[in-house]
């Protein structure tokens, strides 16, 4: 069966520090991969999605970037975090059009 | 711009009652519809998928779709306190690999 791993579960970072969040999927090949952010009490905001290695689409231009160095690995990065980057970051995977997405456990990021 | 609207709630129902959650969407070519449950502090969990007009039942959950009215709903029968969560509606359009999520409805089931 397919599983998705996301780490770390929680992270506290100072303003201006770098960020790297990693997500890996097991049990499937060539998944579509997604990064979302959820602010407290709010809906899901799609940040990036990828349909293949090295293929990244950005939905919200900001100081975040994403990379997909391997088929089942998706990384969210920042060179300098802002206070507004705080939130619940979720990685998700899907198999294609008309199919649901399934989420990892998420990373709760707090910026101090 | 594709939009998915949900009543934010909170919606409170007594234990054992039927909870009814509603969702409307703006894109007429939408083809796939999903309901997710999100407990406080946790990630969303897929609970129902529906693609055709009508009802789809899975245990205590029934999803209802009316494409002409651009409306999808989720009924939870015999509601339990463990059903207390935020329910997210998500809609997929055409061949897009993205889903548009509603902001969610918070449900509280009172013992």
């Amino acid at each position: 069966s397919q599983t998705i791993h996301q780490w770390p579960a929680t992270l506290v970072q100072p303003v201006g520090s770098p960020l790297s969040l990693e997500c890996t999927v097991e049990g499937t090949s060539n998944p579509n991969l997604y990064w979302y952010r959820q602010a407290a009490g709010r809906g899901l905001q799609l940040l990036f999605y990828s349909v293949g290695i090295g293929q990244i689409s950005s939905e919200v231009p900001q100081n975040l970037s994403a990379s997909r160095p391997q088929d089942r690995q998706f990384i969210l990065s920042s060179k300098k975090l802002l206070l507004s980057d705080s939130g619940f970051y979720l990685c998700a995977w899907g198999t294609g059009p008309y199919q649901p997405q399934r989420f990892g456990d998420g990373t709760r990021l707090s910026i101090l | 711009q594709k939009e998915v609207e949900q009543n934010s709630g909170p919606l409170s129902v007594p234990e054992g009652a039927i909870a009814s959650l509603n969702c409307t969407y703006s894109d007429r070519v939408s083809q796939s519809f999903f309901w997710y449950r999100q407990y406080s502090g946790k990630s969303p969990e897929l609970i129902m998928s529906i693609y055709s007009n009508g009802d789809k039942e899975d245990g205590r959950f029934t999803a209802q779709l009316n494409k002409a009215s651009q409306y999808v709903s989720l009924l939870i029968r015999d509601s339990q306190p463990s059903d207390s969560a935020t329910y997210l509606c998500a809609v997929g359009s055409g061949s897009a690999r993205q889903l548009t999520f509603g902001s969610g409805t918070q449900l509280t089931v009172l013992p």
Side-chain angles (χ1 to χ4, degrees):
Chain A
S1 63
Q2 300 92 350
T3 56
I4 179 169
H5 303 280
Q6 190 180 343
W7 65 93
T10 58
L11 191 59
V12 180
Q13 293 284 96
V15 171
S17 64
L19 173 73
S20 180
L21 301 180
E22 188 166 341
C23 170
T24 59
V25 179
E26 296 178 355
T28 187
S29 296
N30 197 30
N32 299 319
L33 296 173
Y34 307 84
W35 279 111
Y36 289 89
R37 179 170 61 202
Q38 188 175 38
R42 305 293 293 275
L44 296 173
Q45 179 187 31
L46 179 63
L47 301 175
F48 300 95
Y49 73 95
S50 172
V51 299
I53 295 173
Q55 301 178 61
I56 309 294
S57 296
S58 173
E59 293 297 303
V60 184
Q62 52 196 326
N63 68 318
L64 299 173
S65 62
S67 62
R68 185 169 177 175
Q70 300 181 40
D71 181 44
R72 291 170 287 178
Q73 183 185 29
F74 205 23
I75 298 172
L76 181 69
S77 304
S78 175
K79 293 182 179 178
K80 285 188 176 182
L81 286 167
L82 306 173
L83 282 174
S84 58
D85 291 323
S86 293
F88 191 37
Y89 287 80
L90 292 156
C91 181
W93 71 275
T95 55
Y98 315 116
Q99 299 304 312
Q101 295 172 18
R102 298 178 189 273
F103 290 86
D105 290 338
T107 295
R108 193 160 303 280
L109 176 63
S110 298
I111 309 299
L112 302 180
Chain B
Q1 184 176 353
K2 302 170 188 174
E3 293 183 349
V4 176
E5 300 286 342
Q6 295 181 253
N7 290 329
S8 61
L11 172 67
S12 294
V13 300
E15 184 174 355
I18 296 175
S20 178
L21 305 164
N22 304 316
C23 173
T24 58
Y25 58 94
S26 63
D27 191 345
R28 286 192 165 275
V29 300
S30 298
Q31 300 285 338
S32 52
F33 307 87
F34 309 100
W35 283 99
Y36 290 81
R37 177 177 62 199
Q38 186 175 22
Y39 292 115
S40 181
K42 302 296 185 181
S43 63
E45 172 192 13
L46 178 71
I47 55 173
M48 289 291 285
S49 304
I50 187 166
Y51 300 91
S52 304
N53 280 331
D55 295 359
K56 179 182 178 182
E57 186 175 317
D58 184 0
R60 294 186 297 111
F61 299 101
T62 299
Q64 299 175 318
L65 175 61
N66 184 326
K67 290 185 179 180
S69 300
Q70 296 176 237
Y71 177 92
V72 59
S73 65
L74 179 70
L75 301 178
I76 306 175
R77 292 183 301 281
D78 188 23
S79 294
Q80 301 296 310
S82 59
D83 295 325
S84 298
T86 296
Y87 289 80
L88 302 172
C89 173
V91 176
S93 298
S95 61
R97 295 175 172 82
Q98 302 169 50
L99 297 179
T100 302
F101 284 84
S103 57
T105 298
Q106 184 180 349
L107 172 68
T108 300
V109 180
L110 304 171

